């Protein structure tokens, strides 16, 4: 079973701080990695994807990938109360297998 | 506007009844997916289709059926064999498989409740 693990949280951070969300995956051959945000009662929306080792920045969001450690993270700078949501990590494993989702980390940004 | 639509937003099922959830996309995506989400849980894959007239079972296909007669449409039927159907059902699509093309985009979801 190809697995994606996330800490369920809740992760609480003060407004303006950096939120750090982490994800590990079991399939060393995984190639594509995604972060989605899901507000309560709504469908997931794509934040960003990353394919290569290192950092990828998009506005206040930075995805970090370390394939050797099988670890992907999402940093949210200058966290806002509107960032409070569940963040889902998703991975495309090796082989002809669809996206595998983690169970998500609930983030709470305190004003 | 391009996007994915799901209907209805809420659906009520009586015991022993089959119900069908609609999913339509106008993104010209080849692949479509159905997920189930239970409270506090992640997304579990029910069925997916990478091409018209072909589909594969996901992790929890029992009690569900699908069809893919058109590229734009991927309806999901929840049969009476699914004994615990209450959940949030999400449809997604992606351009295709392969690096850079497998990003999935989601519809707004259908919440199914059992009467």
């Amino acid at each position: 079973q190809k697995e994606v693990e996330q800490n369920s949280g809740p992760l609480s951070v003060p407004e303006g701080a950096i939120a750090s969300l982490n994800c590990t995956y079991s399939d060393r051959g995984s190639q594509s990695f995604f972060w989605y945000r899901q507000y309560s009662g709504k469908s997931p929306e794509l934040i960003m994807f990353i394919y290569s080792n290192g950092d990828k920045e998009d506005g206040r969001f930075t995805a970090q990938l370390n394939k050797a450690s099988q670890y992907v993270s999402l940093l949210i700078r200058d966290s806002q109360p509107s960032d409070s949501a569940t963040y889902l990590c998703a991975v495309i494993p090796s082989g002809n297998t669809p996206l595998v989702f983690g169970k998500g980390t609930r983030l709470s940004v305190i004003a | 506007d391009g996007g994915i639509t799901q209907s209805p937003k809420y659906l009520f099922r009586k015991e022993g009844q089959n119900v069908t959830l609609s999913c339509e996309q106008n993104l010209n995506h080849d692949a479509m997916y159905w997920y189930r989400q239970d409270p506090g849980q992640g997304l579990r894959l029910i069925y997916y289709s990478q091409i018209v007239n072909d589909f594969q079972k996901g992790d929890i296909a029992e009690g569900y059926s699908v069809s893919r007669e058109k590229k734009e449409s991927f309806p999901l039927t929840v049969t009476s064999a699914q004994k615990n159907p209450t959940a949030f059902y999400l449809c997604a699509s992606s351009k295709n498989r392969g690096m850079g093309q497998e990003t999935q985009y989601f519809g707004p979801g259908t919440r199914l409740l059992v009467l």
Side-chain angles (χ1 to χ4, degrees):
Chain A
Q1 186 80 3
K2 297 173 180 178
E3 297 180 340
V4 177
E5 299 287 341
Q6 295 182 255
N7 188 323
S8 61
L11 172 67
S12 295
V13 299
E15 184 175 0
I18 296 175
S20 178
L21 303 157
N22 304 315
C23 173
T24 58
Y25 57 95
S26 62
D27 180 9
R28 184 169 290 276
S30 299
Q31 293 295 322
S32 306
F33 308 86
F34 303 82
W35 283 101
Y36 288 84
R37 176 176 62 198
Q38 186 176 25
Y39 292 112
S40 181
K42 302 295 186 183
S43 62
E45 53 182 332
L46 180 72
I47 298 175
M48 61 195 307
F49 55 83
I50 186 168
Y51 301 131
S52 304
N53 273 330
D55 295 359
K56 180 181 179 182
E57 188 174 316
D58 184 0
R60 294 187 297 114
F61 298 98
T62 299
Q64 299 176 317
L65 176 61
N66 184 328
K67 289 186 178 181
S69 300
Q70 294 175 236
Y71 177 97
V72 57
S73 64
L74 180 70
L75 302 178
I76 307 174
R77 289 182 300 281
D78 188 25
S79 295
Q80 301 297 311
S82 59
D83 294 325
S84 297
T86 296
Y87 289 80
L88 301 170
C89 173
V91 175
I92 297 274
S94 58
N96 190 26
T97 309
L99 207 54
V100 177
F101 284 84
K103 292 186 177 181
T105 298
R106 189 156 56 92
L107 172 67
S108 178
V109 180
I110 310 300
Chain B
D1 279 342
I4 304 171
T5 58
Q6 291 186 244
S7 62
K9 186 174 181 179
Y10 296 97
L11 185 58
F12 299 91
R13 193 191 90 164
K14 296 180 182 178
E15 292 288 339
Q17 186 181 38
N18 293 353
V19 293
T20 297
L21 285 62
S22 169
C23 179
E24 304 274 336
Q25 55 97 1
N26 61 3
L27 299 168
N28 198 32
H29 283 175
D30 293 310
M32 298 185 74
Y33 311 82
W34 274 106
Y35 294 91
R36 169 180 172 144
Q37 188 175 37
D38 293 281
Q41 299 295 313
L43 276 65
R44 292 187 290 169
L45 183 64
I46 305 173
Y47 269 99
Y48 65 102
S49 168
Q50 294 177 291
I51 196 169
V52 174
N53 292 323
D54 189 39
F55 49 82
Q56 287 77 39
K57 293 181 179 180
D59 300 319
I60 56 164
E62 186 174 351
Y64 300 97
S65 66
V66 294
S67 63
R68 187 88 186 275
E69 297 176 1
K70 298 187 302 181
K71 187 175 183 176
E72 301 80 15
S73 178
F74 192 39
L76 173 74
T77 296
V78 183
T79 74
S80 57
Q82 173 50 245
K83 297 306 179 187
N84 184 24
T86 297
F88 189 38
Y89 289 86
L90 290 158
C91 178
S93 70
S94 66
K95 186 171 177 59
N96 211 321
R97 293 274 299 158
M99 190 74 77
Q101 296 188 326
E102 74 280 86
T103 304
Q104 290 187 21
Y105 299 92
F106 286 84
T110 293
R111 201 166 294 278
L112 176 60
L113 300 166
V114 176
L115 295 176

